[in-house]
């Protein structure tokens, strides 16, 4: 109970719970449509989804300032790749929030003649850029960890044959050697990810999230069911990182 | 900027800003109601008010648990009167949130065949009771402060000087009333938190008084009172010294 109170006191936590509920409604709507449910039930679910979307937009009204503050902090990072990725990602997020606020103003009627489709597309574009940069950062961190882990494993097993150096294998690249190498790399990847849960969580979350703007911008349409499932999964992972702060990838 | 981020990262902070905006819209709508040139502005304000109100209802969905936890905490207070007042206030707030959640579910279409009027009336009643309990606690705290001050020697000297000055005015005014008012004002001045909390509760009280038809006021008064209490709420969050504890 006490942990719920602490969790709830964070504005972002409420927004994530509502996001999870919103994408659950999207998924439910798709399932009901496929299952042939009544139009009234489908309408209720869509209305609930729209209501949650509007409330989330209202809740996000001050977030561009937060994103700019995060970008200011990211500028001081020592690692240049991380600095670049995170700063630009936060700036894109700030722009996404600005577009989102304009959309909210349009939907509530404060700006009557707003081209909602254009602003919606704009906001999804910024969101996509931010996600691509986050994924780049994840891949970079993963590569760093693999590079550290690789020599450690090689030192642990010095007698294992190195297929790439063998002359026989170089002259005729046989499938078993390549597949063994691929298997080795995959095993290394899995080990690194398993021992770094924050990175794994962040990678999965960003991968799930990226399908949403890809679908909405028409770059890779997947349909409401898949989008709903991805949104729900990423929201649940986000809530998990809030409940267990050690799971959050830093910086 | 950093302060703004810290304030808005609290769920309560954002809710109070939304509440202030909602009641500012209500007040503006009332003031502009007869202005024919501003009809589109009035429509925009009405739309904004409705959206804020609907959004806030959704955001209040988890608050019952918050109030129950607060009630559990206040049950352990040593002072009996404070314990009773605050626990009753928190329990009533929890009931108010339950009614509010049911009303939200009805407005969204999740629950049908619900007597909306009855639930709305019950939510106003619970809110009214919680405010009455909060005001009782404020009055109790003020009485305690006044008793404490009255016993203080340096304050009694101050009182004598105050009653002594401008004797021609003191003849016109009843001396006991003058002394009482002076004691009250001094006590409130030394503890601004209780003064701020009393003012906030009085402003808030007009809203359920109107809904329960106990004291009808117009939309302008309700808007103004709501705006005042929201602004006071924001001030207590920004400056914790104005927040009354426990």
């Amino acid at each position: 109970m006490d942990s719920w109170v602490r969790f709830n006191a964070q504005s972002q936590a409420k927004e994530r719970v509502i996001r999870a509920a919103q994408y659950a409604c999207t998924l439910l709507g798709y399932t009901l449509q496929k299952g042939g449910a009544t139009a009234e039930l489908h309408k209720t679910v869509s209305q609930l989804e729209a209501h949650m979307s509007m409330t989330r937009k209202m809740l996000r009204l001050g977030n561009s300032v937060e994103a700019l503050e995060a970008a200011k902090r990211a500028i001081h990072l020592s690692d240049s790749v991380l600095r670049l990725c995170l700063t630009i990602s936060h700036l894109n997020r700030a722009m996404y929030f600005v577009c989102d606020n304009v959309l909210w103003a349009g939907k509530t009627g404060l700006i009557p003649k707003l081209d909602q489709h254009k602003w919606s597309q704009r906001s999804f574009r910024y969101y996509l850029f931010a996600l691509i940069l986050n994924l780049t950062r994840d891949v970079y961190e993963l590569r760093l960890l693999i590079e550290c882990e690789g020599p450690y494993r090689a030192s642990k097993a010095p007698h294992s044959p190195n297929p790439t150096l063998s002359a026989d294998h170089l002259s005729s690249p046989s499938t078993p050697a390549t597949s063994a190498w691929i298997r080795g790399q995959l095993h290394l990847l899995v080990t690194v990810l398993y021992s770094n849960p924050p990175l794994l969580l962040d990678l999965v979350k960003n991968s799930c999230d990226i399908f949403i703007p890809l679908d909405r911008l028409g770059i890779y349409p997947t349909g409401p069911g898949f989008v709903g499932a991805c949104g729900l999964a990423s929201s649940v992972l986000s809530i998990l990182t809030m409940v267990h702060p050690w799971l959050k990838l830093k910086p | 900027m950093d302060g703004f981020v810290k304030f808005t990262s609290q769920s309560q902070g954002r809710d109070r800003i939304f509440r202030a905006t909602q009641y500012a819209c209500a007040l503006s709508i009332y003031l502009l109601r007869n202005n024919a040139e501003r009809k589109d502005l009035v429509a925009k304000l009405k739309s904004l008010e409705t959206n804020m109100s609907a959004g806030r209802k959704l955001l209040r969905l988890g608050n019952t648990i918050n109030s129950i936890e607060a009630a559990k905490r206040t049950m352990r207070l040593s002072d009996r009167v404070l314990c009773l007042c605050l626990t009753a206030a928190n329990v009533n707030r929890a009931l108010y949130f339950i009614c509010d959640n049911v009303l939200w579910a009805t407005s969204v279409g999740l629950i049908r065949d619900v007597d909306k009027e009855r639930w709305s009336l019950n939510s106003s009643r619970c809110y009214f009771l919680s405010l009455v309990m909060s005001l009782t606690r404020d009055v109790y705290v003020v009485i305690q402060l006044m008793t404490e001050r009255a016993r203080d020697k340096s304050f009694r000297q101050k009182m004598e000087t105050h009653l002594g000055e401008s004797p021609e005015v003191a003849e016109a005014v009843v001396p006991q009333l003058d002394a009482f008012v002076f004691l009250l004002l001094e006590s409130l001045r030394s503890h601004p938190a209780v003064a701020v909390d009393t003012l906030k509760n009085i402003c808030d009280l007009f809203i359920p008084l109107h809904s329960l038809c106990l004291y009808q006021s117009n939309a302008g008064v309700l808007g103004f009172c709501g705006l005042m209490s929201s602004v006071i709420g924001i001030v207590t969050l920004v400056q914790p010294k104005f927040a009354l504890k426990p």
Side-chain angles (χ1 to χ4, degrees):
Chain A
M1 281 292 174
D2 202 34
S3 54
W4 159 260
V5 172
R6 255 180 288 132
F7 174 74
N8 204 24
Q10 297 175 65
S11 198
Q12 218 200 3
K14 264 196 181 162
E15 201 258 330
R16 289 286 122 169
V17 169
I18 298 173
R19 186 181 194 249
Q22 184 190 327
Y23 282 109
C25 286
T26 314
L27 184 60
L28 185 67
Y30 171 77
T31 323
L32 289 172
Q33 203 176 28
K34 283 278 164 183
T38 59
E40 205 188 313
L41 183 62
H42 193 248
K43 192 173 141 215
T44 310
V45 170
S46 324
Q47 272 180 345
L48 187 62
E49 190 195 335
H51 169 61
M52 288 192 182
S53 171
M54 271 301 283
T55 307
R56 275 181 65 221
K57 278 186 165 39
M58 184 179 94
L59 204 51
R60 287 198 291 243
L61 279 177
N63 282 14
S64 21
V65 174
E66 214 181 302
L68 282 173
E69 288 289 307
K72 270 201 232 167
R73 281 197 305 271
I75 285 178
H76 301 293
L77 288 170
S78 47
D79 188 312
S80 55
V81 176
L82 274 185
R83 185 168 59 229
L84 187 74
C85 284
L86 285 177
T87 312
I88 302 181
S89 164
H90 286 306
L91 287 174
N92 274 302
R93 268 180 66 232
M95 286 308 299
Y96 161 69
F97 286 129
V98 168
C99 295
D100 195 59
N101 296 346
V102 170
L103 271 172
W104 173 83
K107 285 208 164 116
T108 48
L110 288 173
I111 309 174
K113 295 188 203 91
L114 186 78
D115 188 351
Q116 291 203 8
H117 178 78
K118 188 172 77 150
W119 282 93
S120 176
Q121 294 291 93
R122 229 175 245 177
S123 80
F124 278 119
R125 245 176 265 143
Y126 285 120
Y127 185 41
L128 181 66
F129 294 151
L131 284 172
I132 289 171
L133 284 160
N134 285 344
L135 276 170
T136 313
R137 175 268 185 105
D138 288 334
V139 165
Y140 171 72
E141 296 242 15
L142 188 63
R143 202 175 138 251
L144 279 180
L145 286 167
I146 286 175
E147 274 176 10
C148 288
E149 186 74 19
Y152 174 67
R153 289 182 137 244
S155 66
K156 257 178 45 174
H159 302 296
S160 57
N162 197 338
T164 52
L165 285 179
S166 167
D168 299 327
H169 288 121
L170 275 174
S171 55
S172 52
S174 51
T175 333
T178 338
S179 67
W181 180 82
I182 291 171
R183 264 205 313 275
Q185 289 295 100
L186 272 172
H187 189 251
L188 185 62
L189 181 76
V190 167
T191 319
V192 163
L193 283 174
Y194 188 70
S195 54
N196 285 283
L199 180 61
L200 174 65
L201 227 64
D202 199 60
L203 191 61
V204 173
K205 189 165 79 78
N206 289 325
S207 312
C208 286
D209 271 335
I210 208 160
F211 286 103
I212 301 164
L214 285 177
D215 178 81
R216 298 282 153 88
L217 290 169
I219 299 170
Y220 185 66
T222 39
F226 189 69
V227 164
C230 285
L232 180 60
S234 76
S235 307
V236 166
L237 288 173
S238 193
I239 291 168
L240 211 64
T241 55
M242 270 183 229
V243 172
H244 296 289
W246 64 274
L247 281 173
K248 192 166 165 58
L249 186 64
K250 292 178 180 49
Chain B
M1 275 301 155
D2 206 34
F4 173 78
V5 170
K6 240 188 283 180
F7 179 73
T8 52
S9 69
Q10 294 176 66
S11 196
Q12 251 194 333
R14 276 189 200 215
D15 182 62
R16 289 197 183 165
I17 295 176
F18 294 147
R19 188 175 191 253
T21 315
Q22 184 186 327
Y23 282 108
C25 288
L27 180 61
S28 312
I29 290 166
Y30 178 78
L31 293 172
L32 294 170
R33 72 193 184 287
N34 293 322
N35 198 331
E37 291 150 32
R38 306 281 202 181
K39 275 207 162 20
D40 52 339
L41 176 64
V42 170
K44 279 186 198 174
L45 289 170
K46 276 204 178 114
S47 167
L48 181 62
E49 191 199 345
T50 321
N51 271 293
M52 290 252 153
S53 171
R56 278 181 65 227
K57 268 194 165 43
L58 172 61
L59 292 172
R60 284 200 289 252
L61 278 183
N63 286 8
T64 318
I65 298 175
N66 283 38
S67 297
I68 293 171
E69 285 293 303
K72 274 197 216 166
R73 274 198 310 269
T74 54
M75 266 200 317
R76 287 183 237 127
L77 286 172
S78 47
D79 188 319
R80 291 250 178 98
V81 177
L82 275 184
C83 173
L84 180 73
C85 287
L86 286 175
T87 312
N90 283 320
V91 165
N92 275 301
R93 269 178 79 231
L95 291 170
Y96 158 70
F97 284 128
I98 292 173
C99 297
D100 194 60
N101 295 345
V102 169
L103 284 170
W104 171 83
T106 315
S107 71
V108 158
L110 285 173
I111 312 177
R112 292 167 213 279
D113 308 321
V114 158
D115 190 353
K116 226 175 145 174
E117 288 296 320
R118 197 167 65 99
W119 280 95
S120 184
L121 201 65
N122 282 333
S123 92
S124 295
R125 266 186 213 135
C126 295
Y127 185 45
F128 176 70
L129 282 171
S130 83
L131 285 173
V132 164
M133 286 284 114
S134 301
L135 271 171
T136 315
R137 172 267 189 109
D138 289 332
V139 166
Y140 173 71
V141 169
V142 167
I143 290 171
Q144 268 192 324
L145 282 172
M146 283 169 71
T147 333
E148 212 180 290
R149 283 235 118 186
R151 286 195 209 122
D152 185 30
K153 271 202 177 118
S154 60
F155 176 77
R156 266 192 250 171
Q157 283 171 349
K158 219 174 156 187
M159 174 90 92
E160 299 295 320
T161 356
H162 168 82
L163 288 174
E165 71 194 15
S166 49
E168 60 273 14
V169 181
E171 275 180 299
V173 175
V174 176
Q176 287 96 339
L177 180 65
D178 188 19
F180 176 80
V181 168
F182 182 72
L183 178 61
L184 176 68
L185 288 175
E186 280 296 310
S187 310
L188 289 175
R189 211 174 299 167
S190 63
H191 283 83
V194 69
V196 158
D197 195 61
T198 314
L199 184 61
K200 184 163 91 76
N201 288 327
I202 292 171
C203 285
D204 273 334
L205 200 64
F206 282 93
I207 300 160
L209 281 176
H210 176 82
S211 326
L212 295 169
C213 303
L214 293 169
Y215 182 74
Q216 301 273 42
S217 28
N218 59 42
V221 170
L222 294 177
F224 179 73
C225 288
L227 179 61
M228 278 295 295
S229 76
S230 307
V231 166
I232 293 171
I234 290 169
V235 165
T236 53
L237 274 179
V238 172
Q239 299 274 17
K241 69 173 194 216
F242 285 117
L244 187 61
K245 288 173 183 48

